[in-house]
Amino acid sequence: MKALFKMSFDCGRMGNLEGVFIADTEDVEYLIDNHISVYFGEVLGKHSEISGEVCRDEIKMITTDENVIGIVQEHGLESGYNPFDETLCTCETKDVPDNGVEWGDCMVQDFIDFKRKGIIPEYYQKSYQEWQESQK
């Protein structure tokens, strides 16, 4: 089920990263429960290198009301940072498979789609198939 979420990711003395976005509730649970680490980059200044797990208290479901979600989508009201649109931090995430996919180049949503649904990112399907052939 889709829901509207608000995130306030604590970066210590450097500040917070905030965002309002729409996501699947099961994907949010997977992100939190499986300790998926998000790489935001140098978003708080040069050499800031912000990454880490989004904790349960840093993300709040605002509503699952389809009318509200429709209005947010229709008018482009999502804002700030969406952890699912950021790069997966492979050095801090456990159980990242070595399967022909360079997960460090993928978005968090790509990784969760693979883990939950077995979906390989489109741009890595060829290298994944080659990896599968090499395992035979």
Side-chain angles (χ1 to χ4, degrees):
M1 165 184 1
K2 294 284 184 188
L4 183 65
F5 290 90
K6 178 175 177 155
M7 179 189 74
S8 182
F9 184 75
D10 183 12
C11 301
R13 64 184 175 90
M14 297 172 81
N16 287 356
L17 300 181
E18 297 184 349
V20 175
F21 57 91
I22 297 168
D24 187 292
T25 55
E26 293 176 1
D27 287 345
V28 171
E29 287 299 316
Y30 193 92
L31 174 76
I32 295 166
D33 293 344
N34 291 281
H35 308 285
I36 307 297
S37 187
V38 181
Y39 177 70
F40 292 98
E42 294 182 340
V43 294
L44 294 176
K46 191 169 179 122
H47 306 296
S48 61
E49 296 290 330
I50 304 299
S51 66
E53 299 173 16
V54 178
C55 300
R56 194 165 302 282
D57 63 341
E58 294 174 319
I59 193 166
K60 176 184 176 187
M61 184 189 315
I62 298 171
T63 186
T64 58
D65 184 321
E66 292 176 10
N67 294 325
V68 173
I69 293 169
I71 289 170
V72 169
Q73 287 176 323
E74 180 182 342
H75 297 285
L77 299 175
E78 295 179 89
S79 65
Y81 293 94
N82 179 342
F84 297 97
D85 291 343
E86 301 297 332
T87 307
L88 177 72
C89 183
T90 57
C91 62
E92 296 175 7
T93 301
K94 296 176 185 165
D95 300 324
V96 177
D98 182 15
N99 60 359
V101 176
E102 181 52 55
W103 291 107
D105 289 340
C106 295
M107 301 294 109
V108 170
Q109 186 67 61
D110 294 331
F111 183 69
I112 291 175
D113 285 346
F114 172 73
K115 294 297 250 181
R116 288 190 58 227
K117 303 170 189 170
I119 299 171
I120 296 295
E122 185 177 329
Y123 43 90
Y124 277 110
Q125 288 183 356
K126 182 179 177 187
S127 59
Y128 179 71
Q129 289 172 348
E130 291 170 354
W131 174 82
Q132 283 183 313
E133 290 296 320
S134 73
Q135 300 302 304
K136 292 181 181 179

